[in-house]
Amino acid sequence: MLLAVLEASLRLGGYGFAPHFFKPQKIGGENFLVQNDDFSFRFFPRATARSPGALRLRAQKPPGTIRIFILGESAAMGDPEPSYGPARFMEVQLREKFPGVTFEVVNVAFTAINSHVILPIARECARHDGDFWIVYMGNNEMVGPFGAATVFGKQAPPLPYVRLVTAVQTTRTGQLCTELARKFLHEKTPGTSWGGMQMFLNSQIASDSPLKENVYRNFEKNLDDILRAGTGSGAKILLNTVAVNLKDYPPFASLPAVSLDEPRRLETNGDLAGAEKIYAQIATQNKNSAELQFRWGQNLLAQKNYSAAREHLQLACDNDALPFRTDARENGIIRAAAKKFAGDRVVLLDTVVELSPPGPEKMCGEETFYEHVHFNFDGSHRLGLAWAEQLEKMIPSAQPRNSGWLTPTECETRLGLSDWNRTAVLEHMAGRLQVPPFSSQPNNPLRLEKLAAQAKDLRAKFSAENAAATKTNFLTLIARTPEDFYVRQNYALFLQSLGDRPAAAEEWRRVHELLPHDFLAYFQLGRLLSLQGDKTEAEAQLRTAVKLRPSLTEGRIELGNVLAAQNKFSEALASYAVAQTQRPRDAQTIFHIGKVHALQGDRARAMELYRESVQLNPANWEAHYELAGELDAAGQLDEALTEFSAAAQLNPKYSRARFNLGVLLAKHQRLDEAQREFEEALRLEPSFRGAEESLVKIQILRRKK
């Protein structure tokens, strides 16, 4: 009785969160189901919780619609850009193959989750008339919630414990008890906010740890229950093994650490066979070293001993001390589950085999993935096509269909994958690879070079003619599928890349109409309105964005910028303070806090913060520039010259940095160099009156000399 009273009181008082994955939402007068951003609080501490991507499905499935649920983690979601992930390629293939059918693809996969999280999602999907489920999961079993190397709480506990803890949190009373336990028992958490894979650097696990056995048992049981939920709902399930980059992706960490200098020296000198023998000798004492197995596998690959190479590269994956990839044991569990449920309700797609490119190597590499598990455009197309081909066999034969499948180029056209959008994805991936654990990998510089080269080639294709054709294609797609919010989002991003801010803002308003519950349109609108000078409306949009997604650090920063631009300094500092709580060492946040202090006249504090920002991110030209200005004002001319030089070098196209550098050079009597900087500032900004006047003065001074 007391528990019932407490539960009712907590609910009436507004405490806690709704624990379900879907929530009802009226959109355009219709009843829809949309994602519940709070769902993952059952599995993650609030500060590090991951949220589903935007989705919407009609509460009642319309007649003639085939509804497909995609279950899994970030790879199934389509990370780094879900709108160009495998599910989207599959969707356009099916639409073309079955022109008389409406396909509703509902992607419930999202980042950092594993089977413990996917199971309750699956049980909810079972209540919503799915015709097909596609299950592609396994990469996060060891690192996700309750995994052996997790940073989100208890590591690899028995399954009854997991089920109890997550069930308890479906009640407000359970949520309160969990929060109190985390607070007073100091349960292990990764810090103040989500920090990507870098959070796991100190959570390495030995390949023979008994905790991994618990994970395998839990995974097997969870998968069994997911398949039972799906088949029990009447859906047909396409179960996948999980392909990873075995061929050319090194392990993230290796235990024990082993010196491989001698075999590496032999390889450098061309003695592959000699190096292979040394690897074999070292392995007698250190067979579980992931790095050893990877180097050995690469050696055998170079010798074209493909079968042996695959064996050792698989061991490198299996023994990785930061296990972010599905290993052989997990794929074995998936294959065994498919056999157990064999029949017309559960079909296995062995993607490990299906996605392997032609040739003797028979394993995936950089032709399929950006890095360890996330598909590049070609990999997404190939997996999407493989899914479509399998589903075609499972759709009743009476359904009329076209012959043949779309080419990759045709798919990309129907998805709105333009050179501009493609470039943005590549640049995002380049940024991701520049932080740990990616940045410490030996082949990472080469990977970054390739991404940069691809982006450069794409930018070379940018032209007015190409932009006009891309715009026409987007408008055609929107007319054909007006409710496809992915297409509208990418059209808005394309318009932003062209600099057409008013049109982009208008398109984000259309996205908002389709997804009134989602934060992204508010955030993008806020940024665009701010750039157009409408600070009041920008503030309103950004406030809504951070209300919907409190963990949106970028939103807190943008809101702080807009508030500062309106001289609302105390509110701006409060917004930045939240961002800094979420990311304590974020150089950009610290820089913006410094700017507010400068505007308030506290130049000493501003200078201190600019220095901190530069130290955290030496590549931030703005921090160098603002610091230089403060140093100049303080009469510290030598340091100011150094900082203006750094700003001009980091952003050579910024005329004001070149101009101020010229001024400092002139003060140091380096007139020739000063003249060159003033000339460059004028070239960059021909109407720059100050640069023109300074150039005349310098020329006069030089003649006098």
Side-chain angles (χ1 to χ4, degrees), residues 158-465:
L159 191 58
Y161 171 89
V162 177
R163 299 279 176 94
L164 175 63
V165 167
T166 55
V168 160
Q169 290 199 79
T170 61
T171 68
R172 302 303 194 271
T173 304
Q175 293 166 21
L176 175 62
C177 292
T178 300
E179 285 301 311
L180 291 173
R182 284 175 176 160
K183 180 177 180 180
F184 293 111
L185 298 179
H186 305 287
E187 184 175 302
K188 179 182 177 182
T189 60
T192 55
S193 68
W194 176 255
M197 289 168 61
Q198 187 173 358
M199 296 187 300
F200 296 83
L201 292 177
N202 295 322
S203 190
Q204 298 179 23
I205 186 168
S207 61
D208 57 356
S209 169
L211 292 177
K212 296 182 73 170
E213 290 300 321
N214 288 349
V215 171
Y216 294 132
R217 285 193 293 271
N218 292 348
F219 179 57
E220 183 175 14
K221 177 56 176 169
N222 285 338
L223 178 56
D224 186 278
D225 288 347
I226 288 167
L227 297 177
R228 291 186 186 280
T231 55
S233 74
K236 294 182 179 180
I237 300 177
L238 180 57
L239 177 61
N240 297 256
T241 58
V242 178
V244 302
N245 186 339
L246 285 184
K247 185 169 62 179
D248 40 45
Y249 212 82
F252 288 104
S254 191
L255 295 174
V258 177
S259 174
L260 302 175
D261 292 342
E262 184 178 358
R264 297 293 289 160
R265 179 182 58 78
L266 291 172
E267 287 173 335
T268 301
N269 293 331
D271 186 0
L272 296 177
E276 180 191 347
K277 291 179 181 178
I278 301 299
Y279 285 130
Q281 291 172 11
I282 297 173
T284 59
Q285 299 295 323
N286 301 281
K287 66 177 182 178
N288 290 339
S289 168
E291 183 183 5
L292 166 65
Q293 295 294 344
F294 180 77
R295 296 293 187 188
W296 194 353
Q298 291 286 297
N299 176 289
L300 292 163
L301 200 59
Q303 295 187 70
K304 303 189 186 307
N305 186 348
Y306 299 117
S307 177
R310 280 195 303 276
E311 177 185 344
H312 289 284
L313 292 171
Q314 182 65 65
L315 285 170
C317 172
D318 297 348
N319 294 334
D320 197 335
L322 286 175
F324 290 106
R325 293 177 288 179
T326 301
D327 63 27
R329 179 89 171 267
E330 290 160 340
N331 272 325
I333 291 170
I334 293 169
R335 292 187 181 99
K339 285 185 179 180
K340 179 179 178 180
F341 285 83
D344 65 342
R345 285 288 170 192
V346 177
V347 174
L348 177 70
L349 176 63
D350 199 337
T351 60
V352 173
V353 176
E354 183 73 23
L355 295 184
S356 295
E361 296 174 354
K362 291 185 172 59
M363 55 185 158
C364 294
E366 62 182 15
E367 79 290 327
T368 303
F369 300 101
Y370 286 116
E371 14 76 331
H372 60 306
V373 297
H374 296 114
F375 295 101
N376 58 27
F377 299 117
D378 184 61
S380 288
H381 167 260
R382 288 192 285 119
L383 181 54
L385 176 58
W387 285 350
E389 289 173 336
Q390 290 297 318
L391 291 188
E392 183 196 16
K393 300 172 186 176
M394 302 163 76
I395 293 173
S397 58
Q399 194 66 247
R401 62 196 72 195
N402 291 329
S403 61
W405 297 100
L406 298 174
T407 66
T409 300
E410 289 170 335
C411 285
E412 290 167 3
T413 299
R414 284 164 172 78
L415 290 175
L417 179 49
S418 72
D419 291 336
W420 283 265
N421 301 91
R422 190 188 293 266
T423 301
V425 174
L426 294 176
E427 290 174 344
H428 171 80
M429 282 307 305
R432 182 182 294 185
L433 294 181
Q434 291 179 56
V435 298
F438 300 106
S439 57
S440 60
Q441 294 196 301
N443 61 352
N444 199 57
L446 180 59
R447 203 175 296 275
L448 285 169
E449 285 178 19
K450 290 180 179 179
L451 286 174
Q454 292 174 38
K456 182 179 179 181
D457 290 344
L458 288 169
R459 282 191 290 270
K461 299 177 184 178
F462 291 180
S463 67
E465 183 180 4

